[in-house]
Amino acid sequence: MASRVRSSPPATDIAAFGASAYYWAATRQPLYCLVFLLPLVITFEFAALVLRVSMLSSGDLVAVQLLRATLGLFGANAVWLPGLALVLTLTIWHVLSGRSWRIRAWVPAAMLAETLALTLPLLALSLLPLQAGGPGSPALAERLVLALGAGIYEELVFRLGLISLLMLLLADLARLPYAVAAGAATLAAAVLFAWCHYEPVGLDLFAWDTFLVRCAAGAYLSLVFIGRGLGIAVGAHAAYNLLLCVQG
């Protein structure tokens, strides 16, 4: 599904490519994305299980609802299936890639550092009127869990799923140049990402100022996904959400 997002040649040999080139390619490989994201998925699913009653009615995690609705079409309705779907997607993608299962521990550590650096532009956006807020205000623990889940599953739906599908349609079927296809996919994903935060899909009342800021955030995260991979896009999104919760 994500094969249409351009990536560097396989990173297999640090001696041949150099550490920086190896890292640049490795962050976009499914195995390192899986290693980087698995602790986040486990943390979210465990915390969501503890807080399940209030979270099921919150309506905040639109991406999770979309994933559950899609899986439900095939008769799969367990609440933990979106997390399993992410893990299986990355695992199968890695198996099909034919790459080694060897993991260098410094790569996820460097991904964490890069994630924090790439969160800074999103924090700059938080100075704009993004905080629309839905009805009521959950407790801090629930807000943190929702923030983490949104970072994971909004990237899964709007970046890995939607952008990859649009790249398949625009670059493969329509034969558009890669840059044109990537630009169109980025814009479409950003608009849909922003729109899903508002009623009737999300909880917020529509307002142009918050919509445009969310479009900008969505476009930025789309570029991070295309250029640096799913793991770092999720990390930047989740870190941004969590920092906003702590600030609020």
Side-chain angles (χ1 to χ4, degrees), residues 3 52 62 97-98 100 110 175 179 236:
S3 61
R52 181 62 63 190
V62 174
S97 74
S100 169
R175 301 290 184 179

Side-chain angles (χ1 to χ4, degrees), residues 222-245:
S222 295
L223 293 175
V224 171
F225 166 71
I226 292 173
R228 301 303 300 122
L230 177 66
I232 290 179
V234 169
H237 192 165
Y240 166 68
N241 286 350
L242 292 172
L243 287 171
L244 285 185
C245 285

Side-chain angles (χ1 to χ4, degrees), residues 10-22:
T12 56
D13 188 353
I14 293 180
F17 293 100
S20 60
Y22 177 90

Side-chain angles (χ1 to χ4, degrees), residues 55-67:
M55 288 185 63
L56 279 178
S57 60
S58 69
D60 278 358
L61 294 182
V62 174
V64 174
Q65 295 178 28
L66 290 173
L67 285 169

